[in-house]
Amino acid sequence: MNVFVVNCGSSSLKYQLINTDTEEVIAKGICERIGIDGKLKHKPTGKEELVKEVAMPEHKTAVSYVLEALTDEVAGVISDLSEIDAVGHRIVHGGEKFASSVIITDEVLRAIEECNDLAPLHNPANLIGVVACKELMPNVPMVGVFDTAFHQTMPQKAYMYGLAYEYYENYKIRKYGFHGTSHSFVSKRLIEILGKTGQSSKVIICHLGNGASITAVQDGKSVDTSMGFTPLDGLIMGTRTGSIDPAVVQYIADKKGYTIDQVMNVLNKESGVDGLSGVSSDFRDLDDASEAGNERAILALDMFAYRAAQYIGGYVAAMNGVDAIAFTAGIGENDGKIRAKICQYLGYLGITLDEEANKARGKEAVITTEDSRVPVYAIPTNEELAIARETVALVL
Ligand code: ADP
């Protein structure tokens, strides 16, 4: 089967066409600057990249250019659109309504719309992508795969905040968690590596990318995660603060004369390792700067690792043990220095790093010694493949 995987943002649309029998990517690409001017970068596997600067006033035009590129005489990979068997859409927020992926019917579309309030920057854009694809491929089944769904198994004691209960009842304020597709994909793989599929298992997944979150997965189910009502909570990230005393919001607003929106912008976009270091949000730059002795870069990396280790410790306690830990996403898969820094805090678990093995980059590897009581792995995530697999499972 060929599954078209779509990740639609407010001004961009990323896509992959995946042959789910071989799990190979047939083509992938991105439309950028939708609604501004418009640029398509289309990369067919084994062929030359196609770059097209064309007006994309709205998402439907962008999708139509992608479909044109997929069937193009030179850069195309399929002869016509009937070779697309299904479309899998990444949807950020499914609220409490969606605990798993779904076939998108009109009724489902309305139910997703009702979650828009919870992710006002992301969900409406995701839905625009769904509508555009439905219009251009009316007979192709569409599936929605939610970032929040995997975490719907968290027990209430984990997802509730210490706010009066009415805020949960009336406004659904609770921890939802994100990166669920990645946490699900990597935890499944880790449990498979451990040979514990179908048995009881306790694993911790550290998804460390520009956005970062850690999840405790017991018996294959998310039981706690570090992101919360929004992706701002938890770990210190590229540009996000992670957990912070909420009273700081009012204090900054008073001191700087900012509106709440302006303070939220500071917390989301001007903070994290970027704001702390004044160097960059990219860990490659931070590693270089810290090696050159930049004290604020060293501090930012120390804080990042310290916070991550605190979450890991919290989740070992939550599950009363851990069988294995995995690092994934841009930083987790590639940055051995940060992995080592985090593991330095985990000696109490009997974890001993294998420095040579920890040089692994972008590939699956065990990074601890054979006698490490708890093995630690680097496992590449693949959210597009996960979406394609979910889509096939529903439409077959
Ligand atoms: P997102 O999907 O959240 O944008 P990714 O998972 O792609 O993030 O991770 C991007 C981040 O990964 C970059 O900002 C950078 O900090 C980090 N990264 C990527 N490659 C490397 C590398 N070789 N060494 C260290 N960090 C890396």
Side-chain angles (χ1 to χ4, degrees), residues 355-366:
E355 282 182 24
E356 199 49 40
N358 188 38
K359 288 180 181 158
R361 270 186 172 197
K363 62 172 191 199
E364 197 170 289
V366 59

Side-chain angles (χ1 to χ4, degrees), residues 41-288:
K41 283 191 228 160
H42 173 73
K43 180 81 194 84
T45 306
K47 291 187 183 182
E48 203 147 302
E49 187 176 37
L50 171 79
V51 180
K52 216 170 171 178
E53 289 192 25
V54 274
M56 294 176 184
E58 26 106 62
H59 289 75
K60 193 174 161 190
T61 338
V63 176
S64 69
Y65 281 121
V66 173
L67 298 180
E68 247 179 62
L70 288 170
T71 51
D72 184 79
E73 270 190 19
V74 182
V77 287
I78 50 175
S79 47
D80 69 80
L81 293 183
S82 66
E83 290 179 44
I84 296 179
D85 300 296
V87 185
H89 291 273
R90 177 196 179 208
I91 314 275
V92 168
H93 219 305
E96 290 189 327
K97 289 185 209 294
F98 298 100
S100 57
S101 306
V102 278
I103 297 205
I104 305 178
T105 59
D106 289 343
E107 200 186 338
V108 167
L109 210 54
R110 277 193 296 276
I112 301 174
E113 252 164 26
E114 285 167 20
C115 303
N116 280 3
D117 253 10
L118 295 168
L121 293 179
H122 295 102
N123 261 33
N126 300 156
L127 288 174
I128 288 171
V130 174
V131 172
C133 288
K134 260 181 174 289
E135 281 176 14
L136 295 163
M137 293 176 276
N139 299 317
V140 181
M142 310 266 157
V143 169
V145 180
F146 302 90
D147 271 20
T148 50
F150 181 60
H151 301 299
Q152 280 296 304
T153 47
M154 283 188 290
Q156 199 171 21
K157 67 182 175 192
Y159 71 68
M160 291 295 288
Y161 290 125
L163 268 172
Y165 201 81
E166 65 152 312
Y167 291 95
Y168 170 62
E169 281 185 308
N170 296 334
Y171 306 108
K172 293 278 172 264
I173 298 174
R174 50 160 284 178
K175 178 189 285 196
Y176 289 98
F178 298 87
H179 292 141
T181 312
S182 176
H183 287 296
S184 163
F185 182 87
V186 176
S187 62
K188 271 201 190 82
R189 177 65 194 136
L190 179 55
I191 292 165
E192 188 180 276
I193 294 171
L194 296 174
K196 282 183 168 279
T197 309
Q199 297 175 28
S200 62
S201 59
K202 297 170 180 176
V203 299
I204 295 173
I205 310 301
C206 308
H207 176 110
L208 310 179
N210 205 17
S213 65
I214 298 187
T215 297
V217 182
Q218 188 159 4
D219 303 336
K221 296 190 177 89
S222 169
V223 290
D224 208 340
T225 192
S226 62
M227 281 181 170
F229 179 66
T230 74
L232 180 57
D233 204 2
L235 300 176
I236 294 170
M237 306 179 214
T239 63
R240 295 185 196 132
T241 54
S243 306
I244 190 169
D245 180 344
V248 166
V249 173
Q250 188 187 2
Y251 197 76
I252 295 179
D254 288 348
K255 287 283 172 200
K256 297 275 250 185
Y258 282 176
T259 62
I260 296 286
D261 277 357
Q262 285 173 310
V263 181
M264 293 317 290
N265 196 56
V266 170
L267 267 44
N268 271 300
K269 302 208 170 133
E270 297 173 12
S271 304
V273 291
D274 188 24
L276 280 163
S277 67
V279 172
S280 169
S281 62
D282 193 306
F283 277 60
R284 286 162 287 203
D285 302 334
L286 289 165
D287 286 336
D288 290 346

Side-chain angles (χ1 to χ4, degrees), residues 18 145 181-182 184-185 382-391:
I18 298 178
V145 180
T181 312
S182 176
S184 163
F185 182 87
N382 190 338
E383 286 168 283
E384 292 78 13
L385 178 58
I387 292 174
R389 283 182 184 167
E390 292 273 311
T391 303

